[in-house]
Amino acid sequence: TFYYSTRLCLEKVLLQCILQSRALSGADAINALRPFYFAVHPDFFGQHPKEREVNENSLKRLNGYLENLQKPGFRSFKPTQLTFYVREREPNSSNVPESFSASGFRAVSFTLHTRDLLSTVLDILNSCSLSTEHVQSLNENSQPPKETKSPLNRPIKWDKTYYSFTGFKDPEEELEQAQRVETTLISWLDDNEASAVKKLKKSLPLRKDLERLKFELSRQLQLSDIRWQRSWGIAHRCSQLHSLGRLVQQRPEVLKSVKGRTVVFTDRSGMSAAGHIMLGTMDVHHHWTKIFERLPNYYKLQKKLLLLEERISQLLGGIEVIYIEELQPLLTLEEYYEILDNFYNKLRDSRLPFHPRSLRGLQMILESDRYAPSLHELGHFTIPMICDPAALQWFIFSKAQEARENLKRKEELMITEKELIDTSTERFSLHRLYKEPSVSSAQMIDCCRRLLEESLPYLQGMHLCISHFYSVLQDGDLCIPWNWK
């Protein structure tokens, strides 16, 4: 599985790093970071695609940091800023790493600038508010007696005059300087603007081709939209549209039922819970053809699903059942219908005394991996499919007013966010300004307001993505963290 393969990879990296460190043995260091892995591992965020993606990217960058930290003669050392979504611990879980609740998580950002493995492990645990007592004890127990220490493998420490005479760079001095200097937006743009411009220019013909293909197919099939689930490169997207175009030419009769629909290129084929046609990028035309042929049956199931949502709403005082693509996993229509049906049957049997229409104007989403209801900052309730009906009733009643206030604030945030995106795009002459789904409206607003206080000629004509870390995408898009310095 992904979990075990990733874990083995991480353990291998840690073992390689620890071999050159006298502070911890390999097994001790792996055990020391075990609470961290349990708290942030992507496999535990299966129902939260945004947070899962952030943790996956951060773990990759953490692996690179650990590898580079112990490379012999490695000089290009830079502090690394990381963001993780950390699962909340159960209130009475003591220090058991597996005792995490399913009710929520928090975002943690920190910068690594340590030069040895032990300090790095301690920094990670401290930043995530995880216990370090076991690390300290392991460190003390793993220190070998002085008389058994061998001078072998001791790094050569040259006198400062050696570097002055030879002109070579002093690695210790470079590390100390890197520790003092944190990556800033200006310094990062200075270092990466040329690379981004080069990649962007190279991608421009493909970008035009993508827009042309998308427009032609949308017009020809009378589609509402064409989207992509993942951040595939421009060349990959063009290839997918070309493939769909060939199917249109070969089998035009099977595409008669797509009018007004949205096509989403994803990892699997079918119809999504939101009613979009999913085309698996690894599937061949034969699989796509079957999906198009099944559309009439999918539409019938979708009508049944909408009726089921209405019945649930009636039982819960008029609260609206919604499905939010950006916040929920990409479920098929069949999977979502099953979740709704199970919840409806449980709700119907419980006969909760909700007054008709008492909760009109409120919203809720259903999730299958939680055990306690919660109220999202955007105003909707997140309700577990297996939630106790009595607890559900009390929670909704107690949070109804707060939910209405959050919904009102959501509308205000979206208006402010759009205004700031438009103003920033015009101010810096950007070709496009957008954000990753994991960046909230409040974070985007804060980012744009601070950007507008800066003079940034580097951004003219660029595609700027607000994310959680710095990177230059393969097609020249600039990614910067929303909380840039």
Side-chain angles (χ1 to χ4, degrees), residues 26-42:
D28 287 340
I30 293 169
N31 286 330
L33 281 177
R34 193 177 299 277
F36 168 72
Y37 296 143
F38 272 106
V40 306
H41 201 281

Side-chain angles (χ1 to χ4, degrees), residues 290-339:
K290 282 188 174 182
I291 296 302
F292 289 124
E293 289 174 344
R294 291 176 190 160
L295 286 181
N297 291 330
Y298 278 127
Y299 297 156
K300 291 178 183 177
L301 180 59
Q302 189 180 25
K303 288 181 179 179
K304 291 175 65 178
L305 185 146
L306 294 174
L307 181 60
L308 202 52
E309 287 181 338
E310 289 180 11
R311 288 175 177 171
I312 293 173
S313 176
Q314 290 171 2
L315 292 175
L316 291 178
I319 190 171
E320 182 185 6
V321 183
I322 60 174
Y323 177 84
I324 306 177
E325 286 183 282
E326 294 78 11
L327 298 178
Q328 294 180 257
L330 188 64
L331 299 173
T332 64
L333 199 65
E334 298 93 331
E335 291 169 343
Y336 189 50
Y337 183 86
E338 183 178 359
I339 291 174

Side-chain angles (χ1 to χ4, degrees), residues 51-288:
E51 290 77 11
R52 179 189 177 98
E53 182 180 0
V54 170
N55 284 9
E56 282 180 349
N57 290 327
S58 294
L59 278 175
K60 290 176 185 176
R61 300 177 71 232
L62 174 59
N63 291 348
Y65 182 92
L66 295 172
E67 287 179 329
N68 291 334
L69 191 63
Q70 295 298 312
K71 282 182 180 177
F74 185 75
R75 295 178 178 179
S76 180
F77 181 87
K78 291 183 179 179
T80 299
Q81 184 175 1
L82 299 172
T83 295
F84 286 99
Y85 282 94
V86 182
R87 294 189 295 143
E88 294 287 9
R89 186 180 293 279
E90 294 283 10
N92 301 317
S93 63
S94 67
N95 289 322
V96 181
E98 291 87 344
S99 300
F100 288 92
S101 72
S103 60
F105 38 76
R106 55 193 167 85
V108 174
S109 297
F110 54 90
T111 301
L112 292 177
H113 47 70
T114 46
R115 67 174 69 182
D116 64 272
L117 190 62
L118 175 60
S119 299
T120 303
V121 170
L122 291 173
D123 269 10
I124 293 170
L125 295 174
N126 283 323
S127 298
C128 296
S129 301
L130 298 171
S131 174
T132 60
E133 293 179 6
H134 62 294
V135 183
Q136 302 290 4
S137 60
L138 288 172
N139 184 33
E140 293 170 3
N141 295 335
S142 63
Q143 290 292 342
K146 289 185 178 180
E147 58 271 19
T148 62
K149 287 186 178 179
S150 168
L152 297 177
N153 298 325
R154 184 182 65 200
I156 299 174
K157 187 172 182 179
W158 298 99
D159 189 89
K160 299 293 182 183
T161 56
Y162 166 77
Y163 299 104
S164 301
F165 179 77
T166 61
F168 294 151
K169 294 182 178 180
D170 183 350
E172 284 194 2
E173 188 177 319
E174 283 192 319
L175 288 175
E176 291 171 1
Q177 183 179 0
Q179 287 179 326
R180 293 192 299 268
V181 179
E182 187 176 17
T183 301
T184 65
L185 177 61
I186 301 298
S187 65
W188 187 82
L189 288 174
D190 278 336
D191 294 338
N192 294 276
E193 181 203 11
S195 170
V197 169
K198 183 178 179 180
K199 290 180 178 180
L200 180 61
K201 287 183 178 179
K202 187 178 178 181
S203 74
L204 288 178
L206 279 174
R207 289 180 186 270
K208 291 181 180 178
D209 194 31
L210 178 68
E211 290 301 316
R212 178 185 60 81
L213 288 168
K214 184 177 177 181
F215 173 77
E216 290 178 355
L217 281 171
S218 296
R219 179 179 54 82
Q220 186 176 0
L221 298 175
Q222 299 184 58
L223 295 172
S224 174
D225 195 11
I226 298 177
R227 302 178 191 169
W228 286 264
Q229 178 195 3
R230 296 183 178 274
S231 303
W232 284 300
I234 304 298
H236 196 173
R237 297 187 181 202
C238 285
S239 176
Q240 292 159 0
L241 291 183
H242 278 298
S243 186
L244 178 59
R246 287 193 296 272
L247 179 60
V248 173
Q249 292 178 348
Q250 296 166 6
R251 298 291 304 277
E253 72 281 0
V254 300
L255 290 119
K256 293 179 180 179
S257 301
V258 302
K259 181 179 178 181
R261 293 283 169 168
T262 293
V263 168
V264 184
F265 289 97
T266 67
D267 295 325
R268 53 179 175 166
S269 297
M271 178 166 279
S272 74
H276 302 326
I277 301 167
M278 302 190 302
L279 300 181
T281 57
M282 300 301 291
D283 291 340
V284 295
H285 283 182
H286 173 69
H287 295 100
W288 289 4

